[in-house]
């Protein structure tokens, strides 16, 4: 038995070597599709499957707050507290709030990402310090001790991994904290934190508005046996209770539980998941095309081998013996293709990692490390074997079953394109074209959608802008006029730097991945249009000249300028969307609007200008959210100060000078996230870019394979029809007639494939719905242009065999036996 | 017709040399041949003597290495592919040893094929095809596929295809070679009738019995005409 196998193997190898062109084409096609499958799976593996340094990851969930018409928000303490008291689905629950700190006294002042956490946060995640200890409940009380836990990287950087770090002091924002623990390497939740301080808040004693701020990250561990769905249902009912209990802050809010892993991908809306599913579908389709392609090659070659196989049958080989022989050959081919595919994947994987689709910044060491591990290898092997069976089975059955006896030379040999088995070639090639069509349409739609997203009007001019982040320590800038003075002095110095056109400050850089400040607003003389609505606007406090620097488009009125100072009448510049929501159909200029927070009274602000909508909010990129710009000097706040500088040429050139100018005002002031606006924007559409690039790469590969397959079938057909073509030429066919003959055969197959492909794409692209932006899943322009593309490529693929048909020597009509 | 009329075809000093693997094969050497309208000529000779080569040159499927060939008084040596195809289509009807019907096309479509290449209108094609099929007695099989016919019937369809376009000359290369003797006889009878109705025929055969049907027999040997004899 085993000897028979070795014999099959040897014979199979010899057969493959005997037709090297066929073997090379088949291996190339297999390598392409197995390589693509492996590479995409390595992304899926990294993003969705591989273990993370968190315990019981498959039970960890994340709660997001929802508002009709918005992408998801973080959670509020109100929700956290309600979950803690009322929820039965959770085994434990924790909360954290992202916060950055200025680390002082250890070299250059440095901005460090960190978090305020409750003790439960770490226990819920199942993370223990590798050195020292965790927070205790006692420490996590208002007025508790100033203690901190630090990340492994920070420990290595500032203490060289010295274990005596426990008990050392860290100066954060001018306050001294005692280090109590060091976290394991790689752990940096939430939001790439490197330092953790106790939240030290008694939730019940906080004002309701503070409790309602959706700026927290709530993680929970499900009880064993509780599904995400059950937990989600329970959380939703709790959210409804909250809505009834606190309508003034909860109206219109709901919640949703998602897996923590999904949150870590920065994917609150579930787009990464959808994109990956679409891509898995895509590579699966590519694999099918490849199988059809290789099966076709095998079949075509099988006809050429008919005599050999018939002879083997005549010599007594059983049908199953022949099937085994042919399958062995297919497997050998598949394994060779699989090996080549692994090599290819080895190349592609780093490219995929380079266009990593995730916006999450935590656990970067895990999520950005796309690689071929044992799981990916196992997948590749599985795909390879499955491929071998799929593409090998049909030719094996046909090869072993057809023409039981030696084909006797039939009297009056027919010149015919429809010899037995050719039907299968046509079926396979039509399927290839149809699948390629589906893939290309999916790719086309996603690319179109990506293009739309890329060309969304940002509302500002992103070229030649430099952005710099600064947090003014509360200890040093305790009085608001000190903050204003700092801003004024920095701007004064920066504006006169060579190469700088203008400069301004804002509390949030547009589309940055940070906590973005919002505000509830109220319109003078008007109750909210919808009683269930708590109207919210993006809330930006800006210096004079900021709007000019950003390059917004003024629709009417004026921008904020030097006259809008403390003590002057309060003014505000609003976006079109805010104008629409606050004063539908009316002129907003001169009307008044104000910020609303319970227990706090704000002044009415007069609208002095309306600007075109600005994309301020990263997570609501796809919609136009209302935004207002309030003069920094007129509304006291302790938000970060972000410097935005417009330059005459490459903004990178002024970085050093800008740093110098800031340090001239305050040598201790940390400066972070110095980057151009365009660098900042590059992070916005990563998921979309990833799926656009990949889906189109898959589509192109599918097209290539289908074209190759069509070429192969047509070339085979031409070789089979040589005698017929000779007769036709002998009878006086002109070149055009011969071309027509071949091209129309190819065109028929192509058109059939395109028609089926259009129908399939029509049915399947609906599934892409959630991934598309301003593009319909049945966008006629995409369907049409892809059909044309496919037909043109197909005609080119047919043209080469057709040209070969032209060179047929009609003398063969006389000489054919 | 008299023997003094202008020849339909005139070959003078035609040679054909094949070069394979640096070996020259002189398939034809210095052939002089006139074929007059209405003649029924048979070409005979042992296998490999150049019969098919001669026929392929006559049929413009191949070009002579040297010498000249004029058809209806026109030199055809330097014609373009398109012109040669047009002449094959209009002036020449082929009958092949292996019939060479196209398996995907019906009998009617096979016969129609050369007329289609000529660009003839459909209605005219239909009458030409019907007439040709009538003449070979195959009109009742017009809708059949070649595979549904016997060898003899297929060859009759092939004859119909050759004559449908009313060519100046019919060229046949061993038209009975793939037929049993009864069917072969029938096809020969058909060619004879066509000849009696005025067709010019040039037929290769090595079967002495069939050669007798012709009124002139040319014997080839080693690429040369060794005998050119009119029937008694
Ligand atoms: N394409 C070719 N290349 C080389 N030699 C050829 C070719 N065609 C025919 N011949 C040679 O020319 C000679 C005449 O062949 P052919 O005309 O077929 O003879 P016949 O039809 O009388 O049997 C033979 O020796 C044959 O081998
Ligand atoms: Mg011959």
């Amino acid at each position: 038995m085993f000897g028979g196998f070795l014999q099959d193997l040897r014979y199979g190898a010899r057969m493959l070597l005997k037709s090297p062109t066929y073997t090379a084409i088949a291996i190339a096609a297999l390598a392409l599709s197995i390589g693509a499958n492996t590479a995409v799976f390595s992304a899926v593996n990294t993003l969705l499957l591989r273990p993370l340094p968190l315990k019981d990851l498959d039970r960890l969930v994340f709660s997001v707050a929802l508002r009709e018409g918005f992408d998801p928000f973080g959670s509020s303490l109100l929700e956290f507290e309600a979950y803690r008291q009322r929820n039965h689905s959770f085994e434990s629950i924790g909360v954290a709030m992202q916060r950055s700190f200025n680390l002082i006294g250890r070299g250059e002042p440095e901005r460090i990402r960190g978090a305020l956490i409750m003790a439960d946060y770490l226990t819920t995640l199942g993370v223990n310090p590798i050195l020292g200890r965790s927070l205790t409940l006692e420490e996590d009380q208002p007025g508790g001790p100033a203690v901190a836990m630090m990340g492994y990287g920070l420990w290595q950087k500032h203490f060289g991994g010295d274990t005596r770090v426990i008990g050392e002091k860290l100066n954060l924002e001018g306050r001294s904290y005692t280090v109590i623990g060091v976290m394991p390497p790689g752990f940096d939740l939430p939001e790439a934190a490197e330092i953790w301080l106790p939240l030290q808040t008694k939730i019940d004693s906080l004002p309701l508005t503070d409790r309602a701020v959706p700026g927290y990250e709530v993680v929970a561990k499900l009880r064993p046996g509780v599904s995400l769905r059950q937990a989600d249902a329970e959380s939703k009912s709790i959210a409804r209770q909250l809505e009834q209990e606190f309508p003034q802050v909860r109206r219109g809010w709901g919640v949703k539980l998602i897996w923590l892993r999904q949150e870590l991908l920065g994917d609150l809306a579930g787009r990464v998941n959808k994109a990956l599913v679409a891509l898995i579908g895509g590579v699966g389709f590519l694999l099918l095309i490849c199988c059809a392609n290789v099966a076709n090659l095998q079949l075509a070659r099988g006809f050429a081998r008919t005599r050999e196989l018939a002879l083997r049958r005549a010599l007594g080989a059983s049908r199953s013996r022949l099937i085994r022989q042919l399958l062995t050959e297919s497997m050998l081919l598949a394994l060779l293709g699989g090996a080549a595919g692994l090599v290819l994947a080895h190349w592609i994987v780093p490219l995929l990692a380079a266009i990593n689709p995730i916006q999450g910044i935590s656990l970067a060491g895990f999520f950005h490390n796309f690689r071929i591990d044992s799981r990916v290898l196992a997948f590749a092997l599985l795909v390879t074997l499955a491929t071998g069976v799929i593409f090998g089975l049909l030719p094996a059955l046909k090869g072993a079953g057809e023409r039981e006896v030696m084909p006797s030379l039939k009297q009056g040999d027919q010149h015919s394109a429809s010899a037995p088995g050719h039907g299968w070639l046509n079926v396979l090639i039509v399927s290839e074209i149809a699948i390629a069509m589906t893939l290309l349409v999916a790719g086309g739609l996603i690319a179109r959608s990506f293009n739309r997203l890329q060309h969304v009007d940002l509302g500002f001019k992103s070229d030649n802008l430099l952005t710099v982040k600064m947090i003014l320590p509360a200890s040093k800038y305790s009085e608001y006029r000190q903050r204003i003075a700092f801003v004024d002095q920095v701007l004064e110095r920066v504006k006169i730097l060579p190469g700088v056109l203008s400069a301004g400050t804002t509390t949030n850089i547009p589309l940055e991945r940070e906590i973005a400040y919002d505000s509830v607003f109220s319109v003078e003389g008007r109750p909210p249009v919808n009683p269930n609505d708590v109207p919210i606007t993006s809330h930006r406090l800006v210096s004079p000249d900021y709007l000019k620097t950003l390059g917004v488009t003024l629709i009417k009125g004026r921008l904020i300028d030097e006259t809008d100072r403390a003590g002057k009448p309060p003014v505000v510049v609003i976006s079109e969307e805010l104008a629409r929501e606050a004063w539908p159909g009316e002129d907003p200029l001169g009307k008044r609007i104000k910020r609303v927070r319970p227990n706090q009274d704000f002044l009415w602000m007069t609208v002095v200008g309306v600007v075109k909508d600005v994309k301020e909010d990263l997570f609501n990129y796809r919609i136009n959210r209302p935004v207002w710009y309030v003069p920094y000097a007129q509304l006291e706040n302790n938000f970060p100060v972000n410097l935005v500088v417009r330059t005459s040429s490459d903004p990178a050139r002024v970085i050093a000078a800008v740093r110098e100018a800031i340090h001239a005002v305050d040598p201790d002031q940390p400066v972070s996230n110095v980057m151009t606006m365009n660098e900042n924007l590059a992070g916005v559409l990563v998921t979309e870019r990833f799926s656009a690039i990949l889906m189109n790469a898959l589509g192109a590969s599918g097209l290539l394979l289908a074209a190759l397959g069509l070429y192969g079938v047509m070339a085979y057909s031409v070789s089979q029809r040589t005698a017929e073509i000779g007769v036709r030429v002998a009878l006086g066919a002109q070149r055009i007639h011969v071309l027509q003959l071949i091209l129309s055969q190819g065109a028929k197959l192509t058109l059939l494939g395109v028609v089926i492909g259009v129908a399939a794409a029509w049915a399947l692209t609906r599934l892409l719905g959630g991934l598309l932006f301003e593009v319909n899943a049945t966008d006629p322009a995409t369907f049409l242009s892809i059909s044309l593309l496919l037909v043109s490529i197909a005609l080119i693929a047919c043209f080469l065999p057709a040209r070969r048909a032209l060179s047929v020597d009609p003398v063969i009509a006389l000489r054919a036996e | 017709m008299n023997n003094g009329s202008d020849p339909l075809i005139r070959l003078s000093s035609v040679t054909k040399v094949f070069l394979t693997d640096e070996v020259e094969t002189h398939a034809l050497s210095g052939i002089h041949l006139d074929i007059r309208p209405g003649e029924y000529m048979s070409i005979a000779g042992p296998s490999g003597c150049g019969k098919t080569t001669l026929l392929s040159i006559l049929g413009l499927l191949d070009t002579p290495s040297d010498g000249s060939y004029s058809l209806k008084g026109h030199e055809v040596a330097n014609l373009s592919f398109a012109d040669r195809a047009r002449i094959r289509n209009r002036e020449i009807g082929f009958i092949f040893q292996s019939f060479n019907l196209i398996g995907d096309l019906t009998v009617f479509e096979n016969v129609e094929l050369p007329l289609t290449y000529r660009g003839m209108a459909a209605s005219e094609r239909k009458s030409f095809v019907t007439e040709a099929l009538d003449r070979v007695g195959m009109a009742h099989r017009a809708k059949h596929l070649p595979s549904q016919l016997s060898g003899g019937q297929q060859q009759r369809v092939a004859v119909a295809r050759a004559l449908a376009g009313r060519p100046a000359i019919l060229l046949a290369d061993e038209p009975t070679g793939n037929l049993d003797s009864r069917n072969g006889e029938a096809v020969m009878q058909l060619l004879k009738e066509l000849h009696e109705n005025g067709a010019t025929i040039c037929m290769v055969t090595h079967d002495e019995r069939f050669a007798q049907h012709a009124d002139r027999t040319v014997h080839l040997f080693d690429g040369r005409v060794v005998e050119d004899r009119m029937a008694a």
Side-chain angles (χ1 to χ4, degrees):
Chain A
M1 177 70 206
F2 189 66
F5 171 71
L6 276 185
Q7 196 190 340
D8 281 353
L9 205 60
R10 245 197 332 268
Y11 181 74
R14 207 179 316 142
M15 286 313 293
L16 293 183
L17 285 175
K18 214 170 119 187
S19 25
T21 317
Y22 151 79
T23 306
I25 291 177
I27 289 179
L30 286 164
L32 182 62
S33 52
I34 295 177
N37 267 274
T38 307
V40 167
F41 182 76
S42 86
V44 171
N45 183 40
T46 306
L47 299 177
L48 303 184
L49 303 176
R50 217 160 50 198
L52 300 174
L54 302 172
K55 231 177 106 202
D56 299 320
L57 184 60
D58 55 343
R59 288 201 278 142
L60 291 178
V61 296
F62 183 87
S63 180
V64 289
L66 299 172
R67 254 170 85 83
E68 179 74 27
F70 293 97
D71 279 352
F73 294 81
S75 297
S76 63
L77 291 177
L78 202 58
E79 285 154 351
F80 171 70
E81 193 61 14
Y83 288 154
R84 194 155 64 171
Q85 286 165 5
R86 308 177 198 179
N87 202 305
H88 304 287
S89 309
F90 300 150
E91 182 177 292
S92 91
I93 178 166
V95 67
M97 182 199 209
Q98 192 236 312
R99 174 72 76 78
S100 295
F101 305 96
N102 295 333
L103 173 63
I104 302 164
R106 296 203 171 264
E108 275 266 296
E110 190 184 351
R111 185 105 192 291
I112 294 176
R113 302 186 67 97
L116 303 178
I117 59 173
M118 282 195 173
D120 289 347
Y121 184 72
L122 295 177
T123 36
T124 303
L125 295 178
V127 175
N128 293 309
I130 53 161
L131 195 65
R133 59 175 180 83
S134 236
L135 285 176
T136 62
L137 284 174
E138 292 69 45
E139 282 164 332
D140 190 16
Q141 299 293 333
V147 293
M149 305 181 70
M150 65 194 308
Y152 188 86
L154 199 62
W155 176 48
Q156 293 294 327
K157 183 173 161 196
H158 284 291
F159 296 91
D162 189 342
T163 53
R164 285 168 301 179
V165 67
I166 305 300
E168 286 280 320
K169 304 283 184 206
L170 280 183
N171 184 343
L172 301 173
E173 311 272 328
R175 194 178 163 197
S176 176
Y177 289 80
T178 308
V179 176
I180 59 166
V182 175
M183 292 296 194
F187 177 79
D188 61 356
L189 265 56
E191 305 292 322
E194 290 191 283
I195 197 113
W196 294 264
L197 308 182
L199 187 61
Q200 299 181 329
T201 300
K202 195 157 180 355
I203 295 175
D204 293 341
S205 54
L206 283 178
L208 182 60
T209 29
D210 285 356
R211 276 186 280 157
V213 171
Y216 293 82
E217 307 212 350
V218 170
V219 294
K221 181 184 278 186
L222 300 179
R223 285 184 195 285
V226 173
S227 70
L228 178 66
R229 213 192 163 105
Q230 290 165 331
D232 185 53
E234 190 182 15
S235 304
K236 283 193 162 68
S237 86
I238 291 172
R240 274 192 297 276
Q241 294 166 15
L242 287 178
E243 196 171 4
Q244 282 173 358
E245 291 161 30
F246 307 101
Q248 65 275 39
V249 291
R250 291 296 301 182
R251 261 192 240 119
W253 287 90
V255 300
K256 181 173 82 169
L257 291 187
I258 61 175
W259 291 112
L260 178 62
R261 184 162 199 137
Q262 182 184 336
E263 191 276 332
L264 291 175
L265 299 178
D267 182 31
L268 302 188
R271 290 201 191 95
V272 170
N273 238 314
K274 269 196 196 123
L276 287 175
V277 168
L279 286 174
I280 291 170
V283 284
F285 275 18
L286 185 64
L287 198 64
L288 283 180
I289 296 180
C290 170
C291 286
N293 205 322
V294 181
N296 242 348
L297 283 170
Q298 295 259 78
L299 274 179
R301 205 179 53 131
F303 297 133
R305 285 174 68 185
T306 306
R307 272 164 189 275
E308 171 218 329
L309 293 171
L311 188 65
R312 286 167 153 261
R313 288 223 68 173
L315 293 177
S318 70
R319 194 176 140 85
S320 61
R321 182 74 181 68
L322 279 188
I323 291 180
R324 216 179 73 200
Q325 166 63 46
L326 289 169
L327 270 182
T328 307
E329 231 177 283
S330 301
M331 281 301 175
L332 191 61
L333 196 58
L335 285 172
L336 288 171
L342 264 185
V343 174
L344 192 64
H346 182 72
W347 277 3
I348 303 175
V349 165
L351 299 180
L352 287 190
I355 51 166
N356 195 311
I358 66 170
Q359 278 179 333
I361 52 176
S362 294
L363 303 181
F366 294 86
F367 286 130
H368 290 249
N369 182 14
F370 287 22
R371 61 189 159 85
I372 297 177
D373 60 14
S374 57
R375 198 194 308 244
V376 177
L377 275 179
F379 174 84
L381 183 65
L382 207 73
V383 167
T384 300
L385 295 179
T387 309
V389 171
I390 296 173
F391 79 70
L393 207 56
L394 179 65
L397 291 177
K398 303 257 9 145
E402 289 286 307
R403 312 218 179 161
E404 310 249 327
V405 228
M406 280 284 274
S408 59
L409 250 182
K410 210 176 135 202
Q411 210 187 33
D413 197 9
Q414 302 306 319
H415 300 297
S416 158
S418 54
H422 289 245
W424 276 109
L425 290 184
N426 292 344
V427 168
L428 289 173
I429 193 64
V430 167
S431 330
E432 278 184 53
I433 292 168
I435 298 172
M437 175 80 200
T438 314
L439 260 183
L440 282 168
V441 167
L445 289 171
I446 288 176
R448 226 180 156 82
S449 155
F450 177 57
N451 191 42
R452 287 275 161 90
L453 281 167
Q454 266 195 318
H455 291 100
V456 155
D457 189 356
L458 297 171
F460 62 90
K461 303 191 187 70
S462 62
D463 292 334
N464 290 349
L465 276 186
L466 182 73
T467 67
V468 179
K469 206 160 182 56
M470 290 178 289
I471 307 280
L472 305 185
S475 52
K476 196 162 180 178
Y477 294 89
S478 52
E479 283 186 54
Y480 195 59
R481 55 176 180 78
Q482 293 175 311
R483 300 174 70 92
I484 297 176
F486 174 81
V487 167
D488 285 346
Q489 285 173 34
V490 168
L491 287 179
E492 226 166 82
R493 283 172 187 271
V494 170
K495 274 179 192 168
I496 56 169
L497 293 175
V500 169
L501 297 179
S502 68
T505 65
T506 177
T507 44
N508 277 113
I509 296 163
L511 300 168
E512 71 177 344
R513 198 191 150 77
E514 292 288 336
I515 296 163
Y517 294 92
D518 285 346
S519 174
V520 176
F521 65 87
S522 143
V523 179
E524 190 176 31
R526 184 192 304 248
V529 188
N530 178 353
N532 272 334
D533 226 27
V534 181
I536 290 185
T537 174
S538 288
H539 180 51
R540 302 291 179 266
L541 305 162
V542 301
S543 73
D545 273 1
Y546 168 71
L547 290 172
K548 189 185 97 189
T549 304
L550 194 60
V552 300
T553 308
L554 182 65
I555 305 255
K556 55 170 78 168
R558 65 168 177 90
L559 298 178
I560 286 165
D561 62 29
E562 289 295 344
T563 62
D564 302 314
R565 287 279 153 189
K568 292 278 160 61
V571 297
V572 64
V573 169
I574 64 173
S575 71
E576 280 182 293
E577 180 62 25
L578 182 50
R580 263 192 294 275
E581 289 187 18
W583 297 279
E586 291 174 51
D587 183 358
L589 284 189
K591 301 230 163 47
R592 302 208 301 171
I593 191 167
K594 73 172 178 183
R595 178 161 157 82
V596 178
R597 291 188 96 191
N599 310 324
Q600 248 183 304
D601 216 10
F602 293 94
L603 296 173
W604 287 107
M605 302 179 290
T606 306
V607 176
V608 294
V610 179
V611 297
K612 217 163 147 196
D613 286 316
V614 175
K615 294 288 176 199
E616 283 280 352
D617 185 348
L618 173 63
F619 290 108
N620 289 287
Y621 184 78
R622 289 159 189 248
I623 58 169
N624 285 324
R625 277 195 73 192
V627 54
W628 72 22
Y629 298 96
V630 177
Y632 187 74
Q634 293 189 341
L635 199 59
E636 206 167 298
N637 69 85
N638 60 355
F639 299 161
V641 174
N642 300 298
L643 181 62
V644 175
V645 181
R646 182 163 293 281
T647 56
S648 51
S649 60
D650 182 5
R653 290 205 208 143
V654 304
I655 291 177
V658 167
R659 270 181 197 275
E660 223 167 274
I662 294 168
H663 286 141
V665 178
D666 180 350
D668 289 337
Q669 177 57 47
V671 164
S672 64
N673 289 27
V674 185
M675 56 169 107
T676 68
M677 180 62 86
N678 282 333
E679 280 167 351
N680 195 30
L681 292 180
V684 172
L685 295 172
V686 282
T687 309
E688 290 80 2
R689 179 178 307 116
F690 183 79
S691 31
I693 292 177
L694 246 67
M695 212 38 140
N696 282 288
L698 292 181
S701 310
L703 182 61
L704 180 73
L705 285 185
L708 204 66
L710 187 62
Y711 168 80
V713 166
M714 293 309 295
Y716 173 73
S717 162
V718 166
S719 75
Q720 293 299 294
R721 295 177 82 172
T722 312
E724 176 199 333
I725 294 162
V727 171
R728 286 173 182 265
V729 174
L731 295 178
Q734 296 287 359
R735 286 170 189 275
I736 183 78
H737 296 125
V738 177
L739 276 181
Q740 246 170 26
L741 181 72
I742 304 304
L743 291 183
S744 74
Q745 185 193 352
K748 260 185 230 157
L749 296 173
T750 305
L751 288 179
L752 189 58
V754 166
V755 166
I756 297 173
V758 163
W762 191 275
L764 287 175
T765 49
R766 280 153 214 282
L767 304 178
L768 296 177
L771 290 174
L772 300 181
F773 171 76
E774 286 183 0
V775 174
N776 202 307
T778 55
D779 181 49
T782 305
F783 273 73
L784 192 69
S785 50
I786 297 292
S787 306
L788 288 179
L789 171 73
L790 215 158
V791 170
S792 336
I793 297 287
L795 284 184
I796 292 171
C798 296
F799 193 70
L800 294 170
R803 280 206 23 193
R804 195 170 320 149
L806 283 183
S807 65
V808 168
D809 184 351
V811 172
I812 62 160
L814 284 177
R815 298 207 179 267
E817 284 149 46
Chain B
M1 268 170 278
N2 72 58
N3 287 355
S5 70
D6 283 342
L8 178 64
I9 282 174
R10 166 162 287 170
L11 297 185
S12 22
S13 326
V14 163
T15 63
K16 180 70 185 177
V17 182
F18 292 109
L19 192 68
T20 28
D21 299 333
E22 321 246 318
V23 179
E24 285 189 0
T25 308
H26 291 261
L28 296 175
S29 318
I31 301 283
H32 295 274
L33 196 66
D34 283 0
I35 303 174
R36 274 171 243 290
E39 236 178 359
Y40 186 172
M41 185 181 96
S42 86
I43 300 172
S47 179
C49 68
K51 305 184 292 294
T52 299
T53 305
L54 178 58
L55 208 67
S56 67
I57 287 174
L58 287 175
L60 272 71
L61 297 177
D62 211 343
T63 47
S65 308
D66 202 0
S68 77
Y69 171 15
S70 65
L71 177 68
K72 285 183 164 177
H74 300 287
E75 181 60 43
V76 297
N78 299 315
L79 294 179
S80 66
F81 180 98
D83 285 334
R84 294 166 67 83
R86 196 172 40 75
I87 293 174
R88 277 197 302 272
N89 184 266
R90 289 171 182 267
E91 310 292 357
I92 292 161
F94 283 106
I95 303 163
F96 307 97
Q97 176 175 358
S98 48
F99 324 149
N100 282 346
L101 295 181
I102 292 168
D104 288 335
L105 303 182
T106 63
V107 163
F108 186 94
E109 288 163 341
N110 264 287
V111 177
E112 190 185 27
L113 200 57
L115 306 178
T116 313
Y117 291 147
R118 197 180 289 190
M120 192 183 270
S123 58
E124 202 180 351
R125 288 204 302 265
K126 188 167 176 5
S127 74
F128 273 55
V129 172
T130 316
E131 189 198 315
L133 283 175
D134 268 338
R135 283 178 74 180
V136 302
M138 290 297 294
H140 60 298
R141 297 298 190 112
K143 291 211 170 70
H144 288 228
L145 286 174
S147 55
Q148 297 165 314
L149 305 179
S150 74
Q153 288 172 321
Q154 288 189 40
Q155 193 60 308
R156 277 157 63 176
V157 173
V159 172
R161 181 176 65 186
L163 60 86
R166 298 174 190 166
I169 185 167
L170 288 178
L171 300 178
D173 193 357
E174 305 198 26
T176 58
N178 279 343
L179 296 177
D180 59 40
S181 58
R182 196 174 54 83
N183 274 311
E185 193 60 55
V187 167
M188 279 301 145
Q189 197 56 44
L190 182 60
L191 289 182
K192 194 172 170 188
E193 282 166 32
L194 294 175
H195 169 59
E196 280 159 8
N197 288 321
T200 312
I201 299 175
C202 177
M203 172 183 75
V204 169
T205 181
H206 53 234
D207 190 321
E208 279 300 320
R209 284 177 301 142
F210 295 147
Q212 284 166 11
H213 286 285
D215 41 33
R216 174 183 173 194
T217 305
V218 170
H219 275 272
L220 284 189
F221 188 79
D222 209 4
R224 291 168 204 281
V225 178
V226 291
E227 191 185 343
D228 187 346
R229 174 169 55 87
M230 303 299 273

